[in-house]
């Protein structure tokens, strides 16, 4: 594994300056190539997928060039080296999110897959396919699975299906007018019948940061397990799942400067060990007969088949890169960018900010609805200005419906985002208003 590239931006404890960000951007081939253009694209879509630094690209490439082999299979030295890199990445990710052991980290394809491992596993436990300890996942008719109206479809549909399969009732916390929900809303919705409480740490539409530790405490008080969609928090905030007390959490490599094709399920050891695997096959077993199979402990139990090894190695490198910058330091920088983003939106008549205007409650992104202009028209106009954002429902149709709209335009930042890019987004929104005759005078 190569050592992280060390630039002044990585080594200072002080706030990240514009000069530091310029140095950081130089470490990303995407920016290095595009910043040369006359009109460089303003990449404001990291919430969908982030760009990758050379360190990550090189880590994957070097692994493939020198150490590629099937992990955990066979006895050769090459397999041993590949396995070491794969498991080393797991340990790095475990440390990054405050897990006490690397065995609490399960590799998945992405966050969607990680959430499905939990929901499908609970389904198996209730279909007579449990493992020792699976009784704790029993769902009876009338038991409740609680989610929120703000969830990404990845943290909604798996629970819909689990409820249908088991006869449990899927309930949700409705959002307020600004798309947020509170601790009190959760307190009112949790009941003695709640068995699972699944919610996003940070909403991918409103940027709202849920009070995870307090929510976990409320859920545990009624005996429910918590499943946290941490897709938009782990890339942007210092997160320690052990301190937060969460039972399961899911996130994706490609939103945190890492590769596609790799996601993470974090779980408390006793809960992972009591969860049956929903996908089964080679390498995840201890003993197989023609009638039965016994499974390995977590995490291998959930990793049947050939694994995304170079992607795991790349994700380990992405974590090293983020650690070298300092996650808290990056979060501070991103907070300033979000303040700038929100200020530009709220001071423009005819733009409706989704989510809290109080920037202390939000992280990394802002979605907006432009009065009188469809989000796809806004998106096309922004694209012509070289402003790259996400338009649509962002896989959160119910939330948009609750807000009385079908789609919105979302800008999201990362540690490499510049003030100029944020300003170009706001200017382009105003340009779209003028272009489509939807300008509103103050
Ligand atoms: N949850 C949230 C909050 C997200 O933003 C996303 C990505 N848009 C997902 C889940 C799903 O992530 P992935 O597509 O990487 O599985």
């Amino acid at each position: 594994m190569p050592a992280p590239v060390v630039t002044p931006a990585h080594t200072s404890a002080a706030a990240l300056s514009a000069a530091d960000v310029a140095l950081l951007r130089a470490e990303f081939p995407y920016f290095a190539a595009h910043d040369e253009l006359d009109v460089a694209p303003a990449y404001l879509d990291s919430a969908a997928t982030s760009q990758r630094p050379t360190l990550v690209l090189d880590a994957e490439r070097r692994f493939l060039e020198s150490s590629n082999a099937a992990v955990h299979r066979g006895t050769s030295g090459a397999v041993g080296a590949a396995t070491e890199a794969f498991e080393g990445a797991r340990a790095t990710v475990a440390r990054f999110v405050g897990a006490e052991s690397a065995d609490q980290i399960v590799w998945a394809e992405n966050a969607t897959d990680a959430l499905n491992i939990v929901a499908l596993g609970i389904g198996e436990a209730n279909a007579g396919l449990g493992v020792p300890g699976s009784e704790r996942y029993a769902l009876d008719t009338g038991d409740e699975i609680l989610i929120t109206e703000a969830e990404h479809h990845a943290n909604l549909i798996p629970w819909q299906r689990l409820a249908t399969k088991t006869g449990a009732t899927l309930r949700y916390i409705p959002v307020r007018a600004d798309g947020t929900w509170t601790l009190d809303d959760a307190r009112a919705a949790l009941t003695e019948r709640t068995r699972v409480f699944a919610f996003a740490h940070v909403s991918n539409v409103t940027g709202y940061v849920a009070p995870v530790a307090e929510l976990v405490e409320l859920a545990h008080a009624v005996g429910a397990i918590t499943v946290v969609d941490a897709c938009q928090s782990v890339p942007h905030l210092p997160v320690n799942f052990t301190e937060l007390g969460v039972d399961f959490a899911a996130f994706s490599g490609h939103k945190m400067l890492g590769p596609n094709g790799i996601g993470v399920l974090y779980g408390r050891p006793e809960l992972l060990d009591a969860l049956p695997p929903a996908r089964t096959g080679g390498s995840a077993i201890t003993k197989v007969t023609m009638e039965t199979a016994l499974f390995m402990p977590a995490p291998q139990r959930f990793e049947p088949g050939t694994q995304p090894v170079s992607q795991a190695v790349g994700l380990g490198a992405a974590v090293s890169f983020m650690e070298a910058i300092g996650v808290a330091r990056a979060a501070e920088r991103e907070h300033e960018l979000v303040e700038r983003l929100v200020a530009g939106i709220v001071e423009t008549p005819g733009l409706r900010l989704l989510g809290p205007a109080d920037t202390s409650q939000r992280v990394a992104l802002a979605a907006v609805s432009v009065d009188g202009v469809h989000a796809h028209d806004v998106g096309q106009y922004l694209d012509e200005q070289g402003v790259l954002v996400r338009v649509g429902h962002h896989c959160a149709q119910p939330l948009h419906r609750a807000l009385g709209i079908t789609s919105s335009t979302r800008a999201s930042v990362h540690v490499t985002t510049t003030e100029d890019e944020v300003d170009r987004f706001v200017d382009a929104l105003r340009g779209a208003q003028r272009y489509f005759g939807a300008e509103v005078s103050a």
Side-chain angles (χ1 to χ4, degrees):
M1 172 80 58
V5 177
V6 177
T7 67
H10 291 71
T11 50
S12 164
L16 278 166
S17 66
D20 291 330
V21 172
L23 283 170
L24 268 178
R25 284 173 77 90
E27 293 184 28
F28 287 69
Y30 178 91
F31 298 123
H34 289 83
D35 285 354
E36 301 279 298
L37 302 176
D38 286 344
V39 182
Y43 188 79
L44 294 167
D45 202 15
S46 293
T49 208
S50 55
Q51 300 299 341
R52 301 170 211 175
T54 301
L55 178 79
V56 168
L57 300 167
D58 280 356
E60 270 200 271
R61 186 180 178 88
R62 235 169 274 173
F63 172 82
L64 291 169
E65 283 173 352
S66 62
S67 313
N68 192 30
V71 300
H72 290 300
R73 283 172 165 84
T75 52
S76 70
V79 165
T83 304
E84 204 174 302
F86 183 62
E87 293 303 330
R90 195 193 303 272
T92 300
V93 170
R95 189 190 63 241
F96 188 61
V97 295
E100 285 170 340
S101 150
D103 290 346
Q104 290 178 261
I105 299 300
V106 176
W107 297 126
E109 282 174 30
N110 46 36
T112 303
D113 186 41
L115 291 163
N116 272 285
I117 289 173
V118 182
L120 291 171
I122 297 176
E124 298 291 88
N126 283 277
L129 294 167
V131 293
S134 283
E135 315 74 60
R136 67 189 309 155
Y137 292 114
L139 285 173
D140 295 323
T141 306
D143 281 343
E144 294 168 0
I145 300 166
L146 181 65
I147 58 171
T148 86
E149 201 175 9
E151 296 314 306
H152 187 285
H153 298 163
N155 202 27
L156 162 59
I157 301 169
W159 304 117
Q160 288 175 344
R161 295 176 72 84
L162 177 62
T164 303
K165 273 194 279 198
T166 58
T169 304
L170 181 66
R171 297 184 57 228
Y172 64 86
I173 300 170
V175 294
R176 298 178 174 227
D178 65 355
T180 65
W181 53 282
T182 68
L183 203 53
D184 282 341
D185 297 335
R187 194 176 284 115
L190 284 158
T191 75
E192 291 299 322
R193 298 301 302 263
T194 312
R195 306 264 51 91
V196 176
F197 180 25
F199 59 92
H201 189 173
V202 171
S203 161
N204 65 315
V205 177
T206 63
Y208 175 64
V209 190
V212 177
E214 292 87 344
L215 290 163
V216 167
E217 213 178 306
L218 287 179
H220 286 173
V222 298
I225 61 159
T226 48
V227 182
V228 176
D229 175 353
C231 240
Q232 300 293 352
S233 58
V234 170
H236 301 287
L237 292 173
V239 172
N240 184 312
F241 290 131
T242 303
E243 280 173 12
L244 292 170
V246 309
D247 297 312
F248 292 107
F251 53 99
S252 293
H254 68 97
K255 295 182 199 287
M256 50 191 287
L257 317 181
N260 288 66
I262 185 94
V264 174
L265 172 66
Y266 159 93
R268 282 193 19 224
E270 67 279 18
L271 289 173
L272 279 175
D273 272 334
L275 187 69
R279 294 166 311 172
T280 57
S283 353
I285 50 77
T286 52
K287 183 174 180 193
V288 178
T289 67
M290 288 314 292
E291 291 78 30
T292 59
L294 292 176
F295 299 103
M296 289 182 76
Q300 279 76 26
R301 163 190 307 176
F302 301 104
E303 298 173 2
T306 303
Q307 291 296 298
V309 185
S310 64
Q311 291 91 328
V313 170
L315 179 54
V319 165
S320 303
F321 189 87
M322 287 174 65
E323 285 180 331
I325 297 167
V327 182
R329 194 162 162 248
E332 217 174 293
R333 156 88 191 156
E334 291 179 17
H335 182 67
E336 285 165 16
L337 293 168
V338 168
E339 280 185 329
R340 194 178 182 101
L341 192 55
V342 168
I345 293 168
V346 297
E347 72 194 21
T348 308
L351 298 185
R352 175 181 168 199
L353 174 74
L354 310 187
D358 173 1
T359 53
S360 70
Q361 293 182 28
R362 64 158 70 224
V363 167
L365 58 89
V368 63
S369 159
V370 182
D371 290 348
V373 190
H374 193 279
H376 286 116
D377 290 334
V378 176
Q380 199 169 346
Y381 181 88
L382 263 57
D383 191 44
E384 281 161 16
Q385 312 303 310
V387 177
L388 308 186
V389 295
R390 173 85 190 264
V391 293
H393 51 64
H394 321 308
C395 301
Q397 285 185 7
L399 173 58
H400 278 81
R401 208 168 286 125
L403 295 173
I405 51 181
T406 54
S407 54
S408 60
T409 304
R410 180 187 71 190
S412 49
V413 306
H414 219 300
V415 66
T416 45
T417 306
T418 65
E419 281 80 359
D420 179 59
E421 287 177 316
V422 168
D423 294 348
R424 281 176 60 196
F425 172 68
V426 175
D427 287 347
L429 286 176
R430 293 172 185 162
Q433 286 179 307
R434 287 191 295 275
Y435 184 81
F436 291 104
E439 214 173 348
V440 179
S441 48

